[in-house]
Amino acid sequence: MTSSVLDLAPVLPVVVLTDAADAVPLARALVAGGLPAIEVTLRTPAALDAIGAIADGVPDAVVGAGTVISPRNVADAVAAGARFLVSPGWTDPLLDAMRASETPFLPGVSTTSEVVALLERGVTEMKFFPAEAAGGTAYLKALSSPLPQARFCPTGGISAACAPSYLALPNVGCVGGSWMVPADAVAAKDWARVERLAREAAALRG
């Protein structure tokens, strides 16, 4: 089982798939480029099938489910083969379901109060979302002194250009983004381009 999603790679690809047939070649390209952790968002009807295909067909990948917003999402994602869970925000029922699944999870936060509430519940690893809109690196840097025990995966508006500034922060384990899986490359099944972009992303933290 995955111990910490934050430590698998500097960048967590956030993937939206409309065709589950693309899941395995896409995952292979990301893994070959050095990004083994893959978040497949539950935004399309193909998402659960895509998670299952990657779990079964790409053993070197660590596939997880994103946009987990309900206990039902938790159950469906784990049943499909997800090895971690990511939510854009959290409620007590959702947090209870993620914890009960015994699957690593990153609940989403965007305020200091939400961070403190999770720390009270023993959760120290979180998704910071939407990162750029919610204050970006300046906000996370400000949190690091009073709340050093909290670690984050910032996601939302992050690009290859700004990712290094996030990764330089002591309370950031990895960043989430989709720039290495551009929609046009997926549509064209240009897996070589995905692998190249993944390799560049994997090298952002030297």
Side-chain angles (χ1 to χ4, degrees), residues 104-202:
F105 60 91
L106 294 175
V109 297
S110 61
T111 69
T112 306
S113 293
E114 291 169 333
V115 176
V116 172
L118 285 176
L119 291 174
E120 284 183 348
R121 292 160 173 78
V123 178
T124 59
E125 298 188 345
M126 311 165 196
K127 169 179 176 171
F128 179 56
F129 177 83
E132 285 287 276
T137 55
Y139 193 96
L140 287 173
K141 186 175 182 179
L143 288 182
S144 64
S145 292
L147 302 172
Q149 64 272 54
R151 296 180 70 217
F152 301 95
C153 173
T155 306
I158 295 179
S159 65
C162 68
S165 61
Y166 281 94
L167 292 169
L169 297 174
N171 55 350
V172 169
C174 66
V175 299
S178 56
W179 73 86
M180 75 299 299
V181 284
D184 59 339
V186 176
K189 304 187 190 304
D190 189 351
W191 310 127
R193 180 182 171 201
V194 171
E195 181 180 341
R196 175 176 58 79
L197 291 171
R199 184 169 290 110
E200 292 171 359

Side-chain angles (χ1 to χ4, degrees), residues 3-206:
S3 58
S4 174
V5 181
L6 299 183
D7 297 327
L8 291 172
V11 178
L12 175 62
V14 179
V15 177
V16 180
L17 286 171
T18 56
D19 185 350
D22 292 332
V24 166
L26 176 66
R28 286 175 176 160
L30 290 170
V31 171
L35 299 180
I38 303 167
E39 175 188 334
V40 177
T41 65
L42 301 183
R43 301 180 196 174
T44 68
L48 291 172
D49 287 340
I51 290 170
I54 295 171
D56 292 339
V58 191
D60 291 334
V62 180
V63 64
T67 322
V68 174
I69 59 173
S70 69
R72 175 64 184 269
N73 285 162
V74 172
D76 289 346
V78 172
R83 292 171 61 185
F84 64 90
L85 306 167
V86 184
S87 69
W90 65 276
T91 62
D92 283 324
L94 178 58
L95 191 68
D96 290 344
M98 290 193 291
R99 198 191 299 270
S101 75
E102 298 185 348
T103 302
F105 60 91
L106 294 175
V109 297
S110 61
T111 69
T112 306
S113 293
E114 291 169 333
V115 176
V116 172
L118 285 176
L119 291 174
E120 284 183 348
R121 292 160 173 78
V123 178
T124 59
E125 298 188 345
M126 311 165 196
K127 169 179 176 171
F128 179 56
F129 177 83
E132 285 287 276
T137 55
Y139 193 96
L140 287 173
K141 186 175 182 179
L143 288 182
S144 64
S145 292
L147 302 172
Q149 64 272 54
R151 296 180 70 217
F152 301 95
C153 173
T155 306
I158 295 179
S159 65
C162 68
S165 61
Y166 281 94
L167 292 169
L169 297 174
N171 55 350
V172 169
C174 66
V175 299
S178 56
W179 73 86
M180 75 299 299
V181 284
D184 59 339
V186 176
K189 304 187 190 304
D190 189 351
W191 310 127
R193 180 182 171 201
V194 171
E195 181 180 341
R196 175 176 58 79
L197 291 171
R199 184 169 290 110
E200 292 171 359
L204 287 176
R205 174 179 278 156

